[in-house]
Amino acid sequence: MVNTRGCRAALKIMSVENIVICTRARMPSPAQWQQAIRAAGFGLRIEATFDTLAFSGHLACREAATVCGFEYFCDQLDQEWLQDLNVELPDEYDCVVCLATRASYDDSAASCTAAGVLAAITGGVLLEGGEAPLIPGANAVAWAQRAVRELRELKRRDEEAEALATRLALDPKQATTAFSQALSDLAGQCIDQLVTLDGSPLLGVLFGNGMAVRGKRWQLDTPDAGSIVSPPPGRRGMRKDEEVIAAAKYLAQRLTGVAVSYAQLAPEHGLTLWFANGARLRLHQGAALQAWELRTAQLRFEFIEQQLQITAA
C-alpha cells in the first residue's frame, strides 16, 4: 500500500497521471462509479470492494480479457496541494483523487476512463497529466473517449512496429531491403533540424518525414568552409571545441532546409549524406555500441559491432 501523501512523489516517477478534484460529499461508491462508466459507453470494469475515500494503492481493472489498472490515491485538498497544483479552484472543492500509471497503454486507458467518468459524476475538474488547464467535469467523458482512442491507436502502431522489426530481424534479405528503402527515402527530404549536443561530439540530423540520423564520429565537408571533423575517439567534445562550434554554425546557417540529394552506405558502415548545396556529411560507425543509427517512423536501424540491428522505433 502507498500512503496518500506518497501521491506527490509517485507523480514524479509515473509516466501518466490524471488528477480529479471534487467535493468529498459527492464521491461515489465503487458500484456507482462502475455504473457511470458503463453508462458512458466504456467497457472498463473496476474493482468493486474498496473505499473510494480511504483506499490507496493498486486498483485492479479489466477491459474485456485485458487485465489493467492504476495506482489510486485520495487525499484532502489543502494549501500544500493548492500550491503544488497551482490552479484556481472553487472553494467547495476539498478532495484530490490521483490515478497514476506506468508505461502501459492499457493501464493509461483505464486511468483516463476512470478519471474522466469520476470528474463527470462528481461535478469536479480533471488535470490531465496533473497539469493545467483544467478540464471541466462536463467535458471529461468526451476527453476520456478521445484519450482512449488515441492510446489504442498508439498501442496498435507499437505492436505493428514490434512485429515488423521481429520479422525483419529473422530475414536478413528483407532487412537489407527495408534498410535500403529507408536510405532511399532520405533523398529529396529537407532537413528539419540539425543538432550538436553540448559536451559531446554527437551530430544529429532530423528530417521532416520523421527520420533521424545520428553519429558519434562525423566529418562535414563544406563547399565554402572546408572540412570540419568531430573530436578524435577518446576525447570528449566540449562546447569550446572549435570544430563543434564551426559545425554547429555551418549547420544552422547553411544546411537548415536544404534537401538531401543522395545518401550512400559505405562498406565500412559509414553513412554519407549529400546535400543539394554541395555539402557532404559523413557519419562514421565509431566504437562498438556507439554506432550511428537511422530511425524511421516505425523502425530503428543500428550498426552495432558491424551488424545491422532492427528494432521498433
Side-chain angles (χ1 to χ4, degrees):
M1 295 294 234
V2 182
N3 64 50
T4 54
R5 288 295 180 183
C7 181
R8 293 184 178 88
L11 291 176
K12 297 179 181 178
I13 60 174
M14 298 292 184
S15 59
V16 176
E17 314 87 27
N18 295 310
I19 296 179
V20 176
I21 306 167
C22 59
T23 305
R24 293 177 69 86
R26 299 193 63 177
M27 279 292 288
S29 67
Q32 291 169 327
W33 196 356
Q34 180 65 74
Q35 183 179 9
I37 289 172
R38 189 180 304 111
F42 295 103
L44 182 72
R45 287 179 291 158
I46 63 173
E47 191 172 311
T49 55
F50 72 100
D51 186 331
T52 55
L53 289 172
F55 175 78
S56 65
H58 183 74
L59 190 63
C61 304
R62 294 186 72 90
E63 177 81 26
T66 302
V67 176
C68 51
F70 45 83
E71 296 299 316
Y72 178 92
F73 311 88
C74 184
D75 201 5
Q76 183 77 27
L77 179 63
D78 55 20
Q79 286 301 315
E80 187 179 354
W81 266 114
L82 290 171
Q83 184 175 355
D84 287 348
L85 296 172
N86 194 29
V87 291
E88 293 291 332
L89 296 167
D91 293 337
E92 64 267 24
Y93 287 168
D94 58 3
C95 184
V96 179
V97 180
C98 306
L99 300 86
T101 67
R102 298 187 183 276
S104 162
Y105 291 122
D106 294 326
D107 290 349
S108 298
S111 169
C112 290
T113 297
V117 172
L118 182 63
I121 62 177
T122 58
V125 293
L126 188 149
L127 287 168
E128 178 184 3
E131 297 181 354
L134 292 170
I135 299 172
N139 301 336
V141 170
W143 166 84
Q145 291 169 338
R146 184 170 57 254
V148 169
R149 284 196 302 269
E150 291 174 354
L151 287 164
R152 286 176 178 165
E153 176 62 15
L154 287 172
K155 180 183 178 181
R156 185 194 66 77
R157 291 181 186 178
D158 271 11
E159 289 176 344
E160 184 181 87
E162 290 284 357
L164 178 59
T166 300
R167 186 167 72 250
L168 292 176
L170 297 175
D171 188 340
K173 184 177 180 180
Q174 204 176 19
T176 301
T177 300
F179 180 71
S180 299
Q181 182 61 50
L183 280 180
S184 298
D185 289 343
L186 289 175
Q189 295 295 335
C190 288
I191 296 171
D192 187 58
Q193 184 180 355
L194 296 113
V195 183
T196 53
L197 302 182
D198 289 352
S200 170
L202 190 69
L203 185 67
V205 184
L206 299 180
F207 296 88
N209 63 350
M211 292 187 176
V213 178
R214 65 181 186 182
K216 276 283 187 179
R217 294 279 298 150
W218 51 269
Q219 180 173 332
L220 179 62
D221 299 315
T222 76
D224 55 0
S227 183
I228 305 171
V229 184
S230 64
R235 181 166 72 84
R236 183 173 177 80
M238 303 300 290
R239 287 299 299 176
K240 64 182 179 181
D241 292 329
E242 292 183 0
E243 59 269 41
V244 176
I245 293 175
K249 287 182 177 179
Y250 187 88
L251 292 173
Q253 295 172 5
R254 302 300 305 277
L255 291 185
T256 301
V258 175
V260 177
S261 59
Y262 186 68
Q264 176 182 329
L265 180 65
E268 66 274 14
H269 306 308
L271 180 66
T272 302
L273 302 177
W274 301 80
F275 298 96
N277 66 351
R280 180 175 62 175
L281 177 60
R282 289 181 283 179
L283 299 170
H284 306 291
Q285 179 185 350
L289 301 180
Q290 293 185 344
W292 61 266
E293 72 172 30
L294 171 66
R295 184 175 298 194
T296 72
Q298 275 194 312
L299 300 172
R300 181 169 64 247
F301 300 89
E302 297 175 284
F303 275 97
I304 300 176
E305 297 180 345
Q306 299 188 356
Q307 295 294 320
L308 176 62
Q309 308 291 326
I310 300 180
T311 55

